[in-house]
Amino acid sequence: MAITIRLLGLPAILRDGHESPAPRGRKAWALLAYLLLCERPATRRELAELLFADAADPLGALRWNLSQLRRALGDAGHLQGDPVRLTLAAD
């Protein structure tokens, strides 16, 4: 399954050329961009402090956004662990 993630312009996740349902919220897109572009995996606490410091439950907000990304990526990507690792399909 080929996956294309477009972050410039209107963000989108394409699986086999078809647009996948987008994650809800700008922070989910920011989290995806950060995970794709960071040089080393970030811990859950680091991600929560970076993106969700103003939330009542920063780690809960992070969990919700990770679930949004898992749903959008489907079988083409895996988000797991602490530190959080994003693994995309080889193709």
Side-chain angles (χ1 to χ4, degrees):
M1 173 176 288
I3 186 164
T4 302
I5 299 172
R6 188 175 56 218
L7 297 174
L8 296 176
L10 186 60
I13 297 173
L14 304 168
R15 291 189 288 178
D16 290 330
H18 301 286
E19 195 163 336
S20 176
R24 294 188 343 213
R26 288 178 274 178
K27 294 227 178 162
W29 286 108
L31 177 58
L32 179 59
Y34 187 86
L35 293 171
L36 287 169
L37 299 173
C38 67
E39 293 180 9
R40 63 169 181 77
T43 66
R44 288 177 179 260
R45 185 156 306 281
E46 290 171 337
L47 292 171
E49 289 172 2
L50 177 68
L51 294 169
F52 307 104
D54 56 339
D57 180 8
L59 289 171
L62 174 63
R63 281 191 302 275
W64 187 85
N65 280 275
L66 286 170
S67 72
Q68 290 289 309
L69 291 177
R70 283 186 190 101
R71 195 170 302 122
L73 293 171
D75 293 337
H78 299 291
L79 285 162
Q80 58 195 9
D82 190 8
V84 178
R85 295 184 189 276
L86 172 60
T87 308
L88 297 175
D91 58 345

